[in-house]
Amino acid sequence: MKMENHSSSSQEALMLNHLKSILLKQDRQEIDSIKKTLYTKEGLEKEVSPLIEERIEYLKTNFSKEFGIHVDNVIEHKLEASKEQLLNVIYPVLGQMIRKFVSFQFQLLKDRIDQQVSSVFSTKGLIGQIKSKILGIRSSDLVLRDIDKPIIEEIYVIQRDSGLLVGSYSRQETMDKDMIAGMLTAIKSFAQDAFHVEKQELELINYGNFKILVQNFFSYYIAVAISGSLSSQEQDHLAVILLEFAEKDMKGVSLHLITSELTEEVSSKLEHHFKKDIFA
Amino acid sequence: MISTKVILTGSFGVGKTSLFNQFLFNKFSERYLTTIGVNVKKKIIKVEEEELSILLWDIAGEISQDKVPNSYFLGASGIIYVFDVTRPLTYKNLTSDIDYLKSKIPGVKVKVVGNKKDLITPQQLLELEEELSQPADIYSSAKTGENVEALFEILGRAILGKEA
Ligand SMILES: Nc1nc2c(ncn2[C@@H]2O[C@H](COP(=O)(O)OP(=O)(O)O)[C@@H](O)[C@H]2O)c(=O)[nH]1
Ligand SMILES: [Mg+2]
């Protein structure tokens, strides 16, 4: 039995070896062919390209679904981070007003990023989605939400073309209002020119806890800087009041020449209308 | 007091921003708003007891003059056209440029300034005057400050209709 076992097992071993070498040969051939595919550029390209193509095609239409939120997050984080830096440097020096201008800057930045995003991923639907995400995300959702009710900090009547200040009312004394009016106008129209934004009746610039509502009229516009949060009803309410103001108080006012008398007149009308809490 | 918009124009490097900076120093406009494309400063001048508040606009940075948005010119009562007395290229289109500006903004008062006066001799200045297609209103140096006040005064006079 022992012998038999031995001889049959040595036979088995032989068979096994034979089998092994056959198998290994096949394996080796396979490995060689895989190597050829893997290690030569042409081979790899042939195999992988269709897969990548397919994936690219898929991403072209589904990019926003797959990555939209990440893009949003990255952009939003970058904006938040640089805003913080910017504000830290300039805020102590420049006080309240600059915050409002910074909000413009960031609006421009957002628009620019928006444009970049759209030139990189030129798929219509995707742009729409990212755009709505970027523009739609309220900073108040990211920053601590301020439950303050809206307060009109400042209100300016500004001649549309020249940017000359026609009248103003502020709760607190701020920087030179003539210059603010000029800047605001420059920013507004430069942004319009640069980004080919349509002229709108009503513009709302939203940033952090600050909003600037701009109501355009024919030869002038009214800019209102508001702190606190502004609901859409309150925004409508404000728009109505601005229209009333324009209708009643600006009606007979000639803007042909901006004199200090005119500025005083319009300013006192503004004070009369906006000193009281219109959101009460 | 009347408020008025005045813009600076002229080729790159002639000294517009340097003239602008001769206006009251203002950190606010100077340091942070240049990226917007334009800077605005205010100066109140007095012409024969009458005050004029000038809101002066300057194109910031790299924007080339032919890319200046239309809105820059809108509503201006005064234009300061600056050229560089050391660079003929900056005044070779003087007359056609000024005609163009006047057609673009009817009624606008234009003052032509030859800047960088400090870089040339009185003799060279005389030669330059021969060369110009139309006379400059004033020669200034934004570097030394020479005639900068005077420039705003003659423009102010023109705007107020009080030209001597
Ligand atoms: N020597 C001299 N240099 C000047 C004068 N005005 C401007 N510059 C210089 O000319 C260069 C361009 O001036 P800048 O104001 O930026 O020109 P802009 O492009 O017209 O705004 C700068 O290096 C200035 O220092 C001047 O009156 N005299
Ligand atoms: Mg300049």
Side-chain angles (χ1 to χ4, degrees), chain A residues 39 78 82 86 166 172:
Chain A
Y39 298 143
K78 284 230 164 98
S82 40
L86 196 56
V166 181
Q172 283 157 346

Side-chain angles (χ1 to χ4, degrees), chain A residues 59-99:
Chain A
L59 282 177
K60 270 189 191 162
T61 42
N62 295 287
F63 184 86
S64 62
K65 200 171 80 199
E66 300 284 331
F67 296 113
I69 192 75
H70 304 296
V71 172
D72 279 357
N73 285 343
V74 168
I75 291 173
E76 208 64 42
H77 272 119
K78 284 230 164 98
L79 282 178
E80 279 304 311
S82 40
K83 172 196 129 189
E84 219 35 59
Q85 279 179 347
L86 196 56
L87 281 179
N88 279 339
V89 178
I90 63 186
Y91 188 78
V93 191
L94 298 170
Q96 287 287 90
M97 262 327 280
I98 197 68
R99 289 189 63 184

Side-chain angles (χ1 to χ4, degrees), chain A residues 114-138:
Chain A
D114 199 6
Q115 279 197 331
Q116 270 168 14
V117 169
S118 57
S119 63
V120 173
F121 309 106
S122 57
T123 311
K124 270 257 154 62
L126 165 64
I127 300 162
Q129 285 189 44
I130 291 186
K131 199 164 164 179
S132 82
K133 273 179 191 156
I134 294 172
L135 299 177
I137 288 178
R138 294 194 178 277

Side-chain angles (χ1 to χ4, degrees), chain A residues 10-279:
Chain A
S10 68
Q11 263 192 347
E12 273 173 30
L14 262 169
M15 296 271 287
L16 259 173
N17 270 341
H18 193 59
L19 199 63
K20 251 189 197 166
S21 77
I22 293 168
L23 282 173
L24 278 179
K25 194 178 168 197
Q26 275 181 356
D27 271 0
R28 228 172 270 130
Q29 276 171 344
E30 250 174 78
I31 286 172
D32 279 347
S33 104
I34 289 173
K35 267 188 183 162
K36 227 179 241 161
T37 312
L38 265 181
Y39 298 143
T40 69
K41 197 163 166 273
E42 299 76 35
L44 190 63
E45 249 175 12
K46 211 177 84 203
E47 293 298 319
V48 176
S49 287
L51 291 176
I52 292 180
E53 295 286 317
E54 192 183 298
R55 198 64 197 156
I56 288 175
E57 277 311 309
Y58 169 81
L59 282 177
K60 270 189 191 162
T61 42
N62 295 287
F63 184 86
S64 62
K65 200 171 80 199
E66 300 284 331
F67 296 113
I69 192 75
H70 304 296
V71 172
D72 279 357
N73 285 343
V74 168
I75 291 173
E76 208 64 42
H77 272 119
K78 284 230 164 98
L79 282 178
E80 279 304 311
S82 40
K83 172 196 129 189
E84 219 35 59
Q85 279 179 347
L86 196 56
L87 281 179
N88 279 339
V89 178
I90 63 186
Y91 188 78
V93 191
L94 298 170
Q96 287 287 90
M97 262 327 280
I98 197 68
R99 289 189 63 184
K100 299 166 193 174
F101 281 112
V102 168
S103 73
F104 272 96
Q105 294 270 30
F106 275 88
Q107 187 64 35
L108 292 180
L109 189 58
K110 281 188 176 190
D111 287 346
R112 224 175 290 141
I113 289 172
D114 199 6
Q115 279 197 331
Q116 270 168 14
V117 169
S118 57
S119 63
V120 173
F121 309 106
S122 57
T123 311
K124 270 257 154 62
L126 165 64
I127 300 162
Q129 285 189 44
I130 291 186
K131 199 164 164 179
S132 82
K133 273 179 191 156
I134 294 172
L135 299 177
I137 288 178
R138 294 194 178 277
S139 309
S140 48
D141 293 337
L142 296 155
V143 183
L144 261 185
R145 195 177 173 80
D146 201 321
I147 51 158
D148 278 356
K149 68 187 182 71
I151 293 168
I152 292 182
E153 299 286 347
E154 251 145 289
I155 178 159
Y156 299 85
V157 177
I158 299 167
Q159 195 175 34
R160 197 153 161 170
D161 288 344
S162 66
L164 294 171
L165 184 68
V166 181
S168 66
Y169 169 70
S170 320
R171 269 178 12 109
Q172 283 157 346
E173 274 315 300
T174 42
M175 308 190 59
D176 191 294
K177 295 192 185 89
D178 292 304
M179 275 181 23
I180 290 167
M183 293 285 194
L184 206 54
T185 307
I187 294 163
K188 200 161 128 11
S189 47
F190 270 55
Q192 259 163 15
D193 285 338
F195 300 110
H196 307 287
V197 190
E198 288 295 310
K199 276 193 182 137
Q200 291 170 314
E201 275 305 289
L202 194 72
E203 300 165 43
L204 183 70
I205 292 112
N206 214 326
Y207 203 79
N209 196 29
F210 255 109
K211 285 151 196 70
I212 301 175
L213 190 116
V214 171
Q215 176 85 54
N216 289 309
F217 297 93
F218 181 66
S219 58
Y220 63 95
Y221 69 94
I222 302 181
V224 191
I226 297 154
S227 64
S229 46
L230 185 73
S231 70
S232 49
Q233 287 107 305
E234 285 162 336
Q235 192 184 316
D236 288 344
H237 178 62
L238 178 58
V240 168
I241 289 187
L242 290 178
L243 289 170
E244 274 175 14
F245 177 81
E247 232 173 283
K248 287 190 196 134
D249 294 80
M250 293 299 292
K251 200 175 171 187
V253 176
S254 159
L255 300 186
H256 181 63
L257 207 59
I258 312 293
T259 61
S260 25
E261 291 78 34
L262 174 66
T263 308
E264 272 161 36
E265 180 194 333
V266 174
S267 296
S268 75
K269 283 175 175 174
L270 283 173
E271 179 171 3
H272 181 248
H273 263 76
F274 295 97
K275 196 175 184 173
K276 60 178 183 284
D277 180 7
I278 66 156
F279 299 113

